[in-house]
Amino acid sequence: MGFFNFFSKEKKETLDKGLSKTKESVFSKIARAVAGKSKVDDEVLDNLEEVLITSDVGVETTLNIIKRIEERVAKDKYVNTQELNKILREEIAALLTENNTVDSDDFTVPEGKKPYVIMVVGVNGVGKTTTIGKLAYQFKKAGKSVYLGAADTFRAAAVEQLDIWGERVGVPVIKQKMGSDPASVAFDTLSSAVANNADVVIIDTAGRLHNKVGLMNELTKIKNVMKKVVPDAPHEVLLVLDGSTGQNAFEQAKQFTLATEVTAMAITKLDGTAKGGVVIGISDQFKIPVKYIGLGEGIEDMQVFRKKEFVDSLFGETE
């Protein structure tokens, strides 16, 4: 019963609503895949494979899921199509568990890491700054003092947007003039946070991908400079991806995991798309935990990723 204490009815409704487009799309495709069939045979599995691939789960992950279902069908001898959804949910949840996706206890940070430093990476336009603002709101709501660092110094809009979020949430934003050294901003932010005994620091970074070597060097420099203030910083490198871009999000994840050591992911904009399957594929392919999902424009519409609830919302509740 423990998880119900913090996974409320309201959060479940937000999750259901946010994933409704993907669910409708997947369900209608699965219904067509099993139409006229009473048991799961090779044709049903072939059709299911196509459903998962066209739902942006990705080819490799889809083949992995189908293989697992084939093994279940072979073991259970006779599996009817009514049971397919239940097996699908169980196998995807098991896959996410194997891929280091550990359910977090809401918006918390580990004990003994103060300040807890999160460096946020991702291309421009994926909802990076909005994600930072919503995380700051959730951490503050949980009683933590938060500092934000505007280290995306190449875009005035990024600094302004972070400023707006800082005012909205009521947390300080450390910034410098346009074109300043991003590492210098990160250094100032951590120094201020330490001096003021802050609990959490979130650093925004530039999202340029056209020159991966330049990006890699910049992110490495930011990390090295932060270590001068907090020796084990950053504690988390959070990659923000736009779920509505489907397969393009896979490519971005690939580029950023090559450029820096990503430790967690946030997948945004799942409410406006039928491509929610991308969460499963990205988690499986990169073996990096999905930590947060964005389900709408509202300040409360970001949730800690919980695999069972996610899979249930996507494929229907467990009977």
Side-chain angles (χ1 to χ4, degrees), residues 116-169:
Y116 185 74
V117 182
I118 304 169
M119 185 168 90
V120 182
V121 301
V123 299
N124 301 330
V126 296
K128 189 156 49 84
T129 313
T130 301
T131 297
I132 292 168
K134 289 180 178 179
L135 280 176
Y137 167 77
Q138 292 289 355
F139 285 129
K140 190 178 178 195
K141 195 171 130 183
K144 306 289 183 192
S145 57
V146 183
Y147 269 65
L148 303 181
D152 184 354
T153 58
F154 297 93
R155 287 193 315 133
V159 178
E160 286 166 18
Q161 199 185 355
L162 200 65
D163 245 350
I164 290 165
W165 272 106
E167 284 177 25
R168 186 178 177 189
V169 177

Side-chain angles (χ1 to χ4, degrees), residues 241-289:
L241 298 168
D242 178 349
S244 70
T245 62
Q247 293 306 298
N248 192 33
F250 276 87
E251 187 56 33
Q252 287 176 24
K254 186 177 168 187
Q255 296 299 330
F256 270 98
T257 51
L258 288 171
T260 191
E261 189 183 352
V262 175
T263 61
M265 293 188 284
I267 301 184
T268 66
K269 307 184 186 181
L270 291 172
D271 54 305
T273 181
K275 298 176 184 287
V278 75
V279 175
I280 299 160
I282 284 176
S283 171
D284 179 48
Q285 291 305 298
F286 296 96
K287 306 293 187 268
I288 296 168

Side-chain angles (χ1 to χ4, degrees), residues 38-79:
S38 60
K39 72 183 184 78
V40 176
D41 57 17
D42 288 345
E43 188 184 346
V44 166
L45 290 172
D46 285 346
N47 291 342
L48 181 61
E49 185 179 306
E50 191 180 323
V51 167
L52 294 173
I53 289 170
T54 57
S55 300
D56 286 276
V57 171
V59 176
E60 286 182 49
T61 302
T62 293
L63 294 176
N64 194 350
I65 293 167
I66 294 297
K67 181 170 173 254
R68 296 171 81 114
I69 292 174
E70 279 176 338
E71 287 167 2
R72 284 279 295 271
V73 170
K75 191 177 72 183
D76 298 345
K77 299 298 181 232
Y78 183 90
V79 175

